[in-house]
Amino acid sequence: MYKPFKALKEALAGKPVSRRDVGIGVLEGIAFFGVGSYASRALEQKTPANTVVTEFPTNIPKALCVEKYETPDAKYRLVHVRQAHAAMAEVSREDKQKVVDVQKDIYAILTYLIEHQNLKVVYQEGQMVECPTFAKDERQKRHEEANLTISETEQKICDLEKKLLMSQNTPAADPSDAERYQSILASEIKHYLAVIEQKKDAQKYARDCEQNSWYIDGAVGRLEDEGKIRTKPTEKELQLLVAMLDGEDGIFKVREDYLLELIAKTNDPASVTVYGALHDWRDNIDEWNKKYADKKFSLIVITPEALTKHFGSEKK
């Protein structure tokens, strides 16, 4: 994370929650960072990555600004589309809608890049190397749940209650495992009972499902489900653990550095990630370029209009 950003963060107004309140990797992306003091460098030699930077469009629908940070002899180019995304903590419908507005802008931005820049792959924040299909699987479960009728939902509850009763009446080799299993079943029963209540107002339930889809899945999830992009992971469990142990700054730097490592292994000169707006790869790239002279990065940063409207302030 860019060093002067901590002071800017304190000046922002209107944030629904803070990173510290909601934990690791959930609302790093809801504040607007200042730019303008970091000037683009003049190119000494055009490389494939820097040719892409130079030719990259500066006017993109729903993008407030497109900022280019070119590096002489860069081999790779990272495009960071800044986002606000879902929180682990409960938030109001109004705060959800702010995130939805940002994600809709990102959808328009990525769609433009798909159509005009041949975008096919997006590095997705929160996607783990160890379980790259987790988000897609969870989306499928929620879509299936939304399509259930009330009677079908009642049948699911009945099936879960039978499993719970059977587990309670069957001697277990490991009581602690049985207790965890029963707790999961009980939670699912409670969840589906709540779903039935929600489905009684079909129109409101449909509106809530639509909002939650944008809020939880985001633009990247939607585009992946539509078959318009593929996603790649940006995180690894070990790196995330190291980041957590390293404190708040580590949560940024360790994860940002790891994405650079992943991209450098692909030999793809152009990569796009949708990542929280508090993340800033400029100082990471400065350090990386000094260390790996033959694997330098250039950077492009895209800020959606709604991000500044809902979570930002004037540039400092």
Side-chain angles (χ1 to χ4, degrees):
M1 187 177 71
Y2 196 48
K3 301 300 188 296
F5 186 59
K6 187 169 288 186
L8 176 60
K9 177 188 165 191
E10 298 295 328
L12 295 178
K15 295 179 292 183
V17 292
S18 69
R19 280 201 318 278
R20 192 171 286 110
D21 289 334
V22 300
I24 306 301
V26 288
L27 276 185
E28 302 105 290
I30 62 172
F32 180 74
F33 72 77
V35 294
S37 62
Y38 192 92
S40 297
R41 299 165 178 160
L43 287 174
E44 296 175 359
Q45 177 181 345
K46 290 291 183 184
T47 62
N50 274 337
T51 299
V52 174
V53 171
T54 304
E55 297 176 354
F56 196 85
T58 54
N59 294 312
I60 299 176
K62 295 300 180 179
L64 177 70
C65 58
V66 178
E67 300 156 278
K68 301 179 181 182
Y69 305 102
E70 300 182 17
T71 300
D73 304 321
K75 184 176 181 179
Y76 304 107
R77 178 218 68 186
L78 172 63
V79 176
H80 173 202
V81 182
R82 303 170 64 235
Q83 75 165 337
H85 51 73
M88 289 172 66
E90 277 296 320
V91 298
S92 67
R93 184 178 181 85
E94 290 73 19
D95 287 335
K96 275 188 179 181
Q97 189 58 46
K98 291 177 183 178
V99 173
V100 169
D101 291 345
V102 175
Q103 291 298 330
K104 287 183 176 180
D105 279 4
I106 293 171
Y107 185 93
I109 291 166
L110 294 180
T111 298
Y112 180 88
L113 296 182
I114 290 167
E115 295 173 350
H116 298 276
Q117 294 288 308
N118 198 31
L119 174 65
K120 295 180 179 178
V121 176
V122 173
Y123 285 86
Q124 185 176 21
E125 179 175 12
Q127 187 178 130
M128 293 288 175
V129 171
E130 293 86 354
C131 46
T133 66
F134 177 79
K136 195 170 186 177
D137 295 342
E138 288 299 304
R139 289 198 300 271
Q140 182 62 31
K141 289 178 185 176
R142 283 188 285 105
H143 296 333
E144 290 173 356
E145 177 183 296
N147 290 328
L148 291 174
T149 65
I150 289 180
S151 62
E152 288 171 336
T153 309
E154 290 172 338
Q155 183 59 53
K156 284 190 75 72
I157 293 172
C158 182
D159 293 341
L160 289 166
E161 288 174 337
K162 288 178 180 178
K163 289 181 181 180
L164 179 59
L165 182 61
M166 183 180 296
S167 175
Q168 292 170 338
N169 293 334
T170 302
D174 188 336
S176 61
D177 283 347
E179 186 175 337
R180 281 192 293 271
Y181 177 61
Q182 291 163 15
S183 177
I184 292 171
L185 291 174
S187 294
E188 288 192 41
I189 292 169
K190 183 178 180 181
H191 168 74
Y192 282 111
L193 285 170
V195 168
I196 287 176
E197 289 301 312
Q198 294 162 9
K199 283 178 179 282
K200 289 178 179 178
D201 187 336
Q203 290 185 339
K204 182 178 183 301
Y205 181 73
R207 290 195 302 270
D208 289 344
C209 284
E210 175 68 4
Q211 185 185 54
N212 285 334
S213 176
W214 277 108
Y215 180 71
I216 299 170
D217 303 335
V220 174
R222 285 215 162 202
L223 287 166
E224 184 177 41
D225 281 352
E226 292 168 4
K228 295 178 180 177
I229 58 167
R230 293 184 294 108
T231 61
K232 285 187 176 181
T234 59
E235 321 256 12
K236 189 175 183 179
E237 290 179 358
L238 178 60
Q239 270 70 22
L240 188 57
L241 177 60
V242 170
M244 293 169 64
L245 294 174
D246 203 25
E248 187 173 282
D249 288 338
I251 292 167
F252 288 89
K253 188 177 186 327
V254 172
R255 297 166 68 209
E256 291 160 359
D257 285 344
Y258 183 62
L259 180 56
L260 297 182
E261 293 175 18
L262 286 175
I263 293 171
K265 292 176 181 177
T266 67
N267 285 324
D268 184 354
S271 299
V272 174
T273 188
V274 177
Y275 226 97
L278 284 183
H279 288 271
D280 187 339
W281 269 268
R282 287 177 293 178
D283 56 337
N284 305 75
I285 287 175
D286 278 343
E287 293 177 9
W288 176 279
N289 290 348
K290 291 173 184 175
K291 188 174 181 180
Y292 304 105
D294 60 333
K295 299 178 181 179
K296 292 181 180 179
F297 275 84
S298 285
L299 175 68
I300 296 173
V301 180
I302 302 176
T303 298
E305 293 176 354
L307 182 71
T308 307
K309 175 183 176 182
H310 290 313
F311 302 110
S313 69
E314 294 181 1
K315 295 179 181 181
K316 302 296 180 181

